[in-house]
């Protein structure tokens, strides 16, 4: 076949768990393998990964997985994917460090092939010639891809923004993008995460200025929280500390781990005597101290949340004069936890500075004008917006139209759609055999049964009531007193009368000839129906009812 | 006593369920009686209302409840409060309509005394002389209060913003505020909802302009969703429709109800031939139609969500050319539902315009500069920020300091705090006997047992497993085969082997002499322990285990 197949297996229509498949002839290349954190309806689910059955069917064709950067939504599914599909993984150096750390933390024993490519390096995977180029994003060593295919060049933006004054020298390589555009690009994949946001994204330089002002004006300690992987922000804090002759201690395991990795690989530059352990800084006056902590998302077991709650396990307690800087924005879904943390810090007497009050954070994705600039530089024939929920993809498609990409050349795809490109045209031809998302719950990886999730939802609303009784097979009469147990329904110690009446209701049903001579299934249904009605009448609630009717 | 007691029973520290108590000598006045919608941790709870035990202890002193406006967080607790505390309720006319509607919808049979006061009227309740003044807010007929007390004047802002070009003639009465300020104000209560937001709030006039542009440019139908009680927005839509010669139909029960009430009381002005039923508009060309719908918060059974999901029960289906305007912002906690609705509408092919893209909504609360203006006008001696989570109150306190209120005269209170004011000084003297929030769950109104909520949380994570078995009392041996049932744990049809093995594990425990001769409580604990360990080893999950061990 001389068709190029584009198959997104994750990240299009739902944000996170990014995975894009390119297929030509006998070759398949996978771009990214991320996970998604569950939304509030996926009760008890730890996280969600893409369904790779399409790849498993064509296992022999898969030449490798190319990773654009080390965030969870781009690498988090690797432990699961590699166990089924042991292929080489290509990434830059810092990304490789994070992948190795993740595989180790997940207890993966096999030794996958993790190959390091320079951020302007090139690899050839069958029909695909893939060249990395630097992009500026909220983690070091992020790249986009220029991919030569038999049909033409594909550009994949990765996650990116334009920041002409970044903290760590990583600018998005506009030169390479323009040169690709000038030579002709068949297809552009571009990051839609912030396609809703008008204007240009602000530069990290703005944050440096804000942090500088805050630290200069603080009379006591400054406690700064951010994402553990946002190494450039950590660098900013270290630089500000050095300037104002403060020392920095890190509180929180994951940030210590990341900082160690970043220092070992030279992604973080620390002047002598700036970093120290918290214990070493205890003797210093408070206006000589900065603490960097995890907990920017209000994670219940994080360092900052322990501080906010005056947890006795915390090394740090808020004292008058402390300033806390939330140098991050809440990821959608975490707002309540973050707000609660800010509230608790104010209650402790801290001065808290967060995104609504000052520009203490800028995000890592391009806004609308940035996205238009990329489209103008790359001038693609075809365009596929990636990394976004459906509205982000739709808005990004509208942006592309506004800068001249013809409507019929723009494909708003969703996970599983198969787009087939030929030289002059493209068409969605069917759907990859996706069975839906893969939920990871405990050690069980697999399709979470929809019924199980629905049952959890019901249980979470009004709890469960278990009713058990024994019937004499010969006489059909109830033996002894039925037993009623409940969880999450009502406070049982305050409702003894209700429980006793429910036992009476149950006895009446079972002793009724029509009840006791029924088949087991029918008895169960009868008990559920009668007790549901009883509880609803009494307390207007609908617990899940589990009858256990035994026979002796 | 010649002390004035200020006791917030709701709305300070948590947003919603507003209720403020003023007490002097033998008189108590209650301001507002609202409800709060549950957060994601209050599983199965319908809503939360203030704990009024403080009032019930002093029932004879309570002279009445004054309501500032008709939103749920100010009137929603009335059905419950009035049933325990049958006192007169004072409000403006439109607010009274909404209270009456609420009492009727909740099936309240008693006929409480609902007295209508003009928006510049005055009432005397014992020691308190209360004068209403108009404020501009996102519902008609909202007021603030100037309250004469033996110790001096209190100003309560209600929920307010400054909008000098509102849609419906309701401006915040700056004249009255200034005159109160000039004559000396002892204490100001002011709305903190948007104390995080810098600058001035935008005028409703901006929204009129945006809506006008959208309707002028739309080639097909325009479907606009907003809050049912945002009558001024509905007026704007009607005005825009009239201007562009479109007709308007309303889809959704609650909005129809509100519009009927607003038209009956003259709060909505509809030119002839603009409004019609949806059926009547079917023959019109699409560019002559505007539909106004409920569903701005993504409520699953609302008109807009039915449209978005192509529900067969919906009268309306999206066709090419339709424009949908989300003229509202998501209330915190509703973001996911709203985003999902927008996604679904894009999928149907609608052009969707929402707050991130254009100014299709302005909110009803003052931003920081507005709050400062109020403080400058009123010049209070003491200041108590109200209506906000703790961070809002803290920031509002900082704003008050910045305009000259001395720090020691600002009280950041939380629900239940008792502030005692004398002429020259104020002090928090203890806490009202609050037992915590009152949760309404089904027909049960009362303190939701914390244990019940925790059980629901556990059930929602990994479900429940019920194990039952019968032991012969004489021999201590297990009779027959144990029974295992589960909900929300694993898909039982795919895990028959696991279930069978759990039965074996259970049999082994019970047939073990040490197990079967134990007291019932100890057997239960043993069974839970062994099965918990078994299931965790097998599938890394922690279901709630309910053992039912019978004896014959």
């Amino acid at each position: 076949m001389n068709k190029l197949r584009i198959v997104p297996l994750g990240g299009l229509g739902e944000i996170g768990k990014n995975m894009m498949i390119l297929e030509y002839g006998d070759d398949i290349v996978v771009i990214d393998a991320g996970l998604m954190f569950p939304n509030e309806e996926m009760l008890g689910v730890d996280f969600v990964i893409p369904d790779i059955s399409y790849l498993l069917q064509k296992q022999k064709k898969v030449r490798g997985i190319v990773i654009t950067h080390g965030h969870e939504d781009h690498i988090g599914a690797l432990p699961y994917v590699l166990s089924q599909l042991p292929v080489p993984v290509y990434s830059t150096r810092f990304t490789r460090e994070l992948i190795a750390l993740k595989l180790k933390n997940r207890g993966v024993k096999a030794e996958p092939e993790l190959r390091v490519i320079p951020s302007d390096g090139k690899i050839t995977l069958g029909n695909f010639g893939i060249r990395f180029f630097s992009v500026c994003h909220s983690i070091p060593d992020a790249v986009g891809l220029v991919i030569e295919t038999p049909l033409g060049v594909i550009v994949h933006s990765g996650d990116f923004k334009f920041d002409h004054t970044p903290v760590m020298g990583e600018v998005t390589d506009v030169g390479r993008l323009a040169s690709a555009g000038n030579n002709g690009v068949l297809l552009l994949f571009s990051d839609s995460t912030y396609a809703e946001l008008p204007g240009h994204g602000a530069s990290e330089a703005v944050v440096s200025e804000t942090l500088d002002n805050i630290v200069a004006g603080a009379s006591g300690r400054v406690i700064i929280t951010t994402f553990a992987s946002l190494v450039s922000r950590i660098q900013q804090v270290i630089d500000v500390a050095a300037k104002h002759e403060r020392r920095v201690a890190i509180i929180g395991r994951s940030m210590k781990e990341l900082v160690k990795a970043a220092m070992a690989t030279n992604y973080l530059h620390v002047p002598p005597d700036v970093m120290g352990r918290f214990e070493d800084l205890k003797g210093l006056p408070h206006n000589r101290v900065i603490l960097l902590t995890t907990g920017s998302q209000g994670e219940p077991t994080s360092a900052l949340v322990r501080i906010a709650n005056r947890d006795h396990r915390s090394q740090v307690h808020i004292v008058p004069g402390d300033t806390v800087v939330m140098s991050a924005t809440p990821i959608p879904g975490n707002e309540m936890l973050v707000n609660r943390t800010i509230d608790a810090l104010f209650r402790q007497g801290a001065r808290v500075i967060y995104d609504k009050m000052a520009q203490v954070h800028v995000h890592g994705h391009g806004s609308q004008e940035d996205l238009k600039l990329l489209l103008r530089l790359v001038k693609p024939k075809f365009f596929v917006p990636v990394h976004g929920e459906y509205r982000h993809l739709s808005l990004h498609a509208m942006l592309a139209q506004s800068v001249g990409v013809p409507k019929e050349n723009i494909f708003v795809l969703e996970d599983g759609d198969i787009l087939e490109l030929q030289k002059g045209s493209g068409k969605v031809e069917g759907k990859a055999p996706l069975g839906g998302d893969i939920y990871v719950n405990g050690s069980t990886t697999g399709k979470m049964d929809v019924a199980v999730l629905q049952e959890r939802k019901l249980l979470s609303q009004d709890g469960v009531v278990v009713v058990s009784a024994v019937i004499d097979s010969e006489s059909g009469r109830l033996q002894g007193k039925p037993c009623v147990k409940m969880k999450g329904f009502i406070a049982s110690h305050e409702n003894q009368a209700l429980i006793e009446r429910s036992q009476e209701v149950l006895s009446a049903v079972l002793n009724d000839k029509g009840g006791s001579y029924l088949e087991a299934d029918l008895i169960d249904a009868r008990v559920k129906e009668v007790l549901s009605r009883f509880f609803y009448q009494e307390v207007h609630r609908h617990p899940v009812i589990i009858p256990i009717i035994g026979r002796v």
Side-chain angles (χ1 to χ4, degrees), chain A:
Chain A
M1 81 175 193
N2 55 357
K3 283 178 188 165
L4 178 63
R5 276 190 155 190
I6 312 293
V7 192
L9 293 183
L12 273 70
E14 280 187 312
I15 231 160
K17 65 175 173 65
N18 295 296
M19 179 177 277
M20 176 62 80
I21 310 304
L22 305 183
E23 181 177 4
Y24 187 93
D26 280 336
D27 301 313
I28 285 180
V29 167
V30 181
I31 302 170
D32 291 326
L35 63 74
M36 178 174 91
F37 292 100
N39 67 40
E40 58 207 57
E41 285 172 2
M42 301 172 187
L43 292 167
V45 170
D46 303 322
F47 44 82
V48 184
I49 58 177
D51 180 347
I52 59 166
S53 29
Y54 183 85
L55 289 177
L56 295 176
Q57 284 172 6
K58 306 188 171 203
Q59 189 147 6
K60 283 194 180 146
K61 289 184 167 188
V62 181
R63 302 288 158 245
I65 303 174
V66 181
I67 303 289
T68 58
H69 62 281
H71 279 149
E72 286 283 14
D73 55 337
H74 293 258
I75 69 169
L78 280 175
Y80 308 93
V81 172
L82 290 176
S83 71
Q84 295 174 276
L85 201 69
V87 297
V89 177
Y90 302 87
S91 73
T92 55
R93 192 154 57 104
F94 188 68
T95 305
R96 190 209 168 278
E97 291 296 308
L98 296 184
I99 294 171
L101 200 60
K102 165 154 289 295
L103 295 174
K104 192 180 129 217
N105 285 345
R106 287 267 156 211
V108 175
K109 289 190 189 68
E111 295 225 342
E113 221 180 304
L114 304 182
R115 299 203 192 153
V116 171
I117 310 295
S119 63
D120 61 351
K122 190 175 170 185
I123 48 174
T124 302
L125 297 176
N127 269 301
F128 300 98
I130 302 175
R131 185 179 284 283
F132 285 17
F133 64 94
S134 286
V135 295
C136 180
H137 184 47
S138 48
I139 191 167
D141 237 9
V143 296
L145 311 169
V146 175
I147 306 167
E148 286 159 17
T149 80
L151 285 191
V153 166
I154 298 177
V155 172
H156 190 306
S157 72
D159 278 359
F160 83 102
K161 62 173 176 174
F162 291 114
D163 184 348
H164 307 299
T165 51
V167 178
M168 298 176 59
E170 288 164 326
V171 292
T172 297
D173 192 341
V174 286
R176 167 127 10 225
L177 285 165
S179 128
N182 292 337
N183 292 325
V185 167
L186 178 72
L187 168 67
L188 170 66
F189 296 117
S190 176
D191 175 15
S192 313
T193 313
Y194 276 81
E196 285 173 326
L197 229 67
H200 293 276
S203 168
E204 294 280 343
V206 177
V207 177
S208 290
E209 214 177 296
T210 313
L211 290 178
D212 190 74
N213 286 337
I214 291 170
V215 172
S219 59
R221 296 185 298 190
V222 181
I223 301 169
I224 302 176
T225 183
T226 191
F227 299 101
S229 65
L230 186 39
V231 176
S232 65
R233 190 65 44 79
I234 295 170
Q235 183 71 59
Q236 285 173 303
V237 171
I238 288 168
D239 294 346
V240 169
K243 179 177 166 193
H244 293 281
E245 293 171 16
R246 291 190 182 229
R247 296 193 68 195
V248 178
I250 293 176
I251 318 278
R253 193 188 53 80
S254 63
M255 192 177 277
K256 279 182 187 162
E257 229 173 47
L258 256 289
V259 165
K260 204 174 139 194
M263 284 175 75
T265 49
N266 258 322
Y267 285 96
L268 200 58
H269 305 284
V270 185
D273 291 331
V274 167
M275 293 283 249
R277 292 182 313 151
F278 178 67
E279 298 75 36
D280 301 337
L281 274 56
K282 273 190 171 163
L284 291 178
H286 279 181
N287 63 1
R288 300 266 73 86
V289 174
I290 291 181
L291 303 177
L292 250 170
T293 78
T294 53
S296 71
Q297 298 303 307
E299 304 91 329
T301 59
S302 66
L304 186 68
V305 172
R306 292 222 162 114
I307 295 172
N309 295 336
R310 242 188 163 69
D311 190 317
H312 67 277
R313 280 163 298 183
S314 176
Q315 300 175 282
V316 186
H317 297 288
I318 294 294
V319 293
D322 281 349
T323 302
V324 178
V325 182
M326 310 287 295
S327 188
T329 41
I331 292 170
N334 294 344
E335 293 86 354
M336 194 187 74
L337 289 175
V338 172
N339 286 338
R340 193 178 289 175
T341 306
I342 296 172
D343 286 341
L345 289 165
F346 268 120
R347 270 197 198 91
Q348 300 284 334
R351 182 175 162 236
V352 191
I353 300 175
Y354 53 106
D355 63 328
K356 292 214 174 77
M357 300 161 63
Q359 195 144 20
V360 286
H361 180 65
V362 295
H363 53 75
H365 302 269
S367 301
Q368 291 182 345
E369 295 306 315
D370 304 309
L371 301 178
K372 289 186 203 165
L373 174 56
L374 183 72
L375 282 153
R376 286 285 187 202
L377 285 167
V378 174
K379 297 175 277 191
K381 181 173 171 66
F382 296 110
F383 175 57
V384 173
V386 297
H387 309 169
E389 300 192 7
Y390 200 86
R391 66 192 180 285
H392 303 122
L393 307 178
S394 304
L395 290 175
H396 204 174
M398 284 159 65
L399 293 177
Q401 265 186 270
S402 77
V403 298
V405 183
K407 190 174 179 182
E408 61 276 16
N409 287 2
I410 300 172
F411 299 94
V412 177
L413 304 180
E414 288 193 89
D415 293 345
D417 283 339
I418 299 175
L419 172 65
E420 290 193 349
L421 286 189
Q422 285 175 297
K423 265 262 177 305
S425 67
K427 204 171 169 199
V428 175
E429 299 279 2
K431 197 97 181 164
L434 285 193
D437 294 322
I438 305 297
Y439 298 91
V440 180
N441 181 187
S443 68
T444 319
T445 305
K447 265 158 234 148
M448 184 61 108
D449 199 300
V450 175
V452 170
L453 290 181
Q454 278 168 348
E455 287 168 1
R456 289 182 183 173
K457 174 83 179 163
L458 285 175
L459 289 167
S460 77
Q461 291 303 299
D462 286 328
V464 62
V465 177
V466 182
V467 294
S468 85
V470 177
I471 292 174
D472 185 289
S473 314
E474 282 181 33
S475 70
R477 306 294 297 176
L478 179 67
Q479 288 216 321
K481 205 177 166 188
C483 164
V484 174
K485 289 191 177 187
M486 49 188 58
K487 289 276 177 193
F489 172 45
I490 47 174
S492 49
H493 53 281
E494 288 171 9
N495 291 282
Q496 215 44 54
L498 182 71
I499 293 173
E500 276 163 29
R501 281 202 293 137
S502 72
Q503 285 170 322
E504 286 161 23
V505 169
L506 182 61
S507 301
V509 175
L510 295 176
N511 271 328
D512 168 35
K513 286 264 173 196
S516 56
Y517 283 114
L518 287 170
E519 293 290 319
D521 279 4
L522 292 177
I523 291 191
D524 280 9
R526 188 80 200 284
V527 165
K528 279 189 204 175
E529 182 201 328
V530 171
L531 281 177
S532 275
R533 202 165 48 217
F534 171 74
F535 287 126
Y536 190 73
Q537 274 167 2
E538 294 296 318
V539 290
H540 273 257
R541 296 188 198 178
H542 280 303
V544 172
I545 293 170
I546 304 180
I548 308 236
I549 311 299
R551 284 168 191 260
V552 289

